[in-house]
């Protein structure tokens, strides 16, 4: 008689596998089952790579860069509006990057774990909302563990609100790869290239947007590096 | 207007003809799919790749990553089979080589054959037989 993993073990493993590849990955792990220990080890070795592969398929580097810029600019703008002195504090600018990075993590994971197929505009807001949740949770943990790394509450709240709006707007303009219908036998990589063939006006516009995002990001990095250098010089 | 200049198409003909060279692990995965024919899915591909790559250990996750990548490149196509009881009632994702994949594998094999011939010539046929 063929033995398999317990329903509980399979349910736990299923939670971590993105829905788009859950069926085949769970089936393969079931087929390879020898003992509970081997199943756990096999799953723990396989799942991280399955998640990485799914992220690679769903993430568009240009859009991710735009999103990162939108989130960081939101927190920067919120600090500028609420507490300008915070920007000149030691590690002020790098601290603003922490909630932005957490929001990006939320967005990326939401896209990787989204069910394939078209999504409504309301569904598109799930990623930014998860990002806001992770950003706020990380700040809560910093307040308990290391308050020097925490960002002031009002900056966080304003930043999250602006970031949510900007991020949703970017997602509506550039929908995630999971939202585009995939025809039978059409490679996903080609479908991801919504900008049209090289040399077309759409591809040109997308390239200009990408370059602009990179230039602004580089300027921000230079600004942060300058502040870190100034802080180190004073110390 | 030529078909490859119509931007409304999901991909253009120029991209279809482009052929990237394969990495070593990609060659192993494509060879496994080729040899397994109708029975190429995650578990069997992993076993075959492990057999081809011995004594190196290969993880199932690495095979999944490569399968996704070669599918994105248009080298293989996949489809879901019917669920089977030995898999806990879950379906398999089966793979088969596309024409582009066959061409890429053929080019890799020709290059490997040339390398093999040079090595056999320099180090001797006896070494090559080992």
């Amino acid at each position: 008689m063929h033995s398999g993993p317990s329903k509980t073990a399979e349910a736990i493993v299923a939670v971590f596998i993105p829905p788009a590849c859950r069926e085949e990955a769970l089936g393969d792990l079931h087929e390879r089952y020898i003992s509970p220990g081997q199943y756990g080890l096999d799953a723990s070795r396989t799942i991280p790579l399955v998640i990485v592969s799914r992220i690679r398929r769903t993430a568009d580097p240009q859009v991710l860069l735009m999103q990162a810029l939108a989130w960081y600019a939101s927190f920067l703008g919120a600090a500028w509006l609420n507490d300008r002195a915070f920007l000149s504090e030691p590690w002020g600018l790098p601290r603003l990057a922490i909630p932005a990075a957490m929001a990006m993590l939320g967005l990326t994971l939401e896209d990787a774990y989204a069910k394939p197929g078209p999504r409504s505009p309301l569904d598109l807001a799930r990623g930014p909302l998860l990002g806001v949740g992770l950003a706020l949770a990380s700040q809560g943990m910093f307040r308990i563990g290391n308050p020097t790394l925490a960002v002031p509450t009002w900056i966080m709240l304003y930043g999250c609100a602006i970031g949510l709006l900007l991020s949703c707007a970017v997602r509506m303009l550039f929908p995630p790869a999971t939202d585009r219908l995939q025809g039978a036998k059409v490679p996903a990589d080609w479908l991801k290239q919504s900008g049209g063939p090289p040399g077309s006006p759409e591809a040109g516009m997308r390239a200009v947007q990408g370059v602009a995002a990179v230039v602004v990001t580089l300027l921000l990095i230079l600004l942060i590096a300058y502040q870190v250098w100034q802080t180190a010089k004073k110390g | 207007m030529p078909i490859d200049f119509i931007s409304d198409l999901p991909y253009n003909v120029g991209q279809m003809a482009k052929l990237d060279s394969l990495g070593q692990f990609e060659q192993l995965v494509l060879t496994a799919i080729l040899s397994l024919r109708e029975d190429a899915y995650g578990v069997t591909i992993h076993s075959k790749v492990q057999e081809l790559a011995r004594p190196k250990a290969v993880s199932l996750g690495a095979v999944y990553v490569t399968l996704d990548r070669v599918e994105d490149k248009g080298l293989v196509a996949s489809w879901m089979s019917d669920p089977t009881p030995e898999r806990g009632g879950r379906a398999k994702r089966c793979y088969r080589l596309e024409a582009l994949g066959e061409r890429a594998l053929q080019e890799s094999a020709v290059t490997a054959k040339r390398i093999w011939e040079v090595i056999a010539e320099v180090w001797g046929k006896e070494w090559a037989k080992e």
Side-chain angles (χ1 to χ4, degrees):
Chain A
M1 193 185 132
H2 176 78
S3 65
S6 69
K7 293 274 176 209
T8 319
E10 262 197 323
I12 294 169
V13 169
V15 169
F16 293 101
I17 302 175
C21 37
R22 193 173 284 159
E23 176 80 5
E24 62 266 30
L26 271 182
D28 285 349
L29 289 172
H30 188 109
E31 203 179 318
R32 285 159 58 92
Y33 177 86
I34 297 166
S35 66
Q38 172 276 334
Y39 184 76
L41 199 67
D42 208 13
S44 62
R45 277 181 185 161
T46 308
I47 293 170
L49 289 169
V50 170
I51 297 169
V52 167
S53 185
R54 187 69 197 149
I55 289 175
R56 190 193 63 77
R57 275 189 143 177
T58 55
D60 183 333
Q62 280 181 359
V63 178
L64 271 188
L65 193 64
M66 280 185 239
Q67 287 280 8
L69 188 66
W71 279 103
Y72 190 75
S74 305
F75 288 108
L76 195 67
W80 184 267
L81 289 171
N82 279 289
D83 185 3
R84 217 165 284 185
F86 176 82
L87 295 174
S88 48
E89 272 179 30
W91 302 98
L93 292 175
R95 271 155 73 191
L96 288 175
I98 298 171
M102 294 309 289
M104 289 302 298
L105 180 70
L107 267 179
T108 313
L109 286 179
E110 207 282 324
D111 280 345
Y113 280 85
K115 283 184 181 158
R119 287 192 278 174
S120 71
L122 210 62
D123 287 338
L124 283 180
R126 267 207 316 247
L129 279 172
L130 181 67
V132 166
L134 283 181
L136 291 173
S138 70
Q139 289 303 307
M141 281 163 69
F142 280 135
R143 271 173 221 290
I144 297 165
N146 189 357
T148 51
L149 283 176
V151 174
T153 311
W154 280 108
I155 296 178
M156 271 307 293
L157 293 178
Y158 272 93
C160 284
I162 302 167
L164 195 62
L165 283 174
L166 280 177
S167 182
C168 287
V170 171
R171 276 166 85 77
M172 280 180 198
L173 285 171
F174 304 98
T178 44
D179 292 355
R180 285 163 221 157
L181 280 174
Q182 298 198 359
K185 299 175 195 165
V186 178
D189 205 28
W190 296 343
L191 282 162
K192 277 170 81 175
Q193 298 172 0
S194 58
S200 70
E202 294 93 340
M205 180 56 80
R206 207 171 157 81
V208 169
Q209 285 167 339
V211 169
V214 170
V215 168
V216 177
T217 310
L218 280 176
L219 283 175
L220 279 172
I221 291 168
L222 282 175
L223 197 67
I224 293 171
Y226 176 73
Q227 199 190 37
V228 170
W229 177 67
Q230 286 283 337
T231 311
K233 212 168 106 180
K234 277 179 197 165
Chain B
M1 182 186 272
I3 196 166
D4 53 337
F5 282 99
I6 302 170
S7 58
D8 291 343
L9 287 176
Y11 55 88
N12 64 68
V13 176
Q15 285 167 315
M16 280 178 77
K18 203 174 90 181
L19 194 63
D20 292 332
S21 59
L22 297 174
Q24 197 193 22
F25 201 71
E26 287 176 338
Q27 288 173 19
L28 290 175
V29 168
L30 293 191
T31 308
I33 295 171
L34 181 78
S35 70
L36 290 162
R37 294 164 197 271
E38 297 301 308
D39 194 35
Y41 66 98
V43 175
T44 53
I45 295 170
H46 174 253
S47 306
K48 194 76 195 174
V49 168
Q50 199 146 34
E51 191 190 314
L52 293 169
R54 66 178 187 272
K56 235 189 227 175
V58 174
S59 77
L60 181 63
V63 171
Y64 283 144
V65 172
T66 310
L67 283 171
D68 282 351
R69 196 171 55 236
V70 291
E71 191 178 19
D72 288 347
K73 286 181 179 177
L75 305 177
V76 300
S78 75
W79 71 97
M80 298 300 285
S81 73
D82 291 329
T84 54
E86 67 269 17
R87 294 170 58 83
R90 296 183 190 279
K92 296 170 189 170
R93 182 171 285 280
C94 299
Y95 293 87
R96 67 145 193 273
L97 277 189
E98 289 284 61
L100 201 62
E102 280 177 9
R103 250 180 68 198
L105 195 57
Q106 223 166 24
E107 280 186 16
S108 298
V110 168
T111 310
K113 194 169 168 261
R114 276 193 219 119
I115 295 170
W116 179 254
E117 281 165 3
V118 172
I119 288 175
E121 199 182 300
V122 176
W123 287 347
K125 296 269 186 223
E126 285 309 306
W127 180 90
K129 274 181 194 166
E130 280 171 23

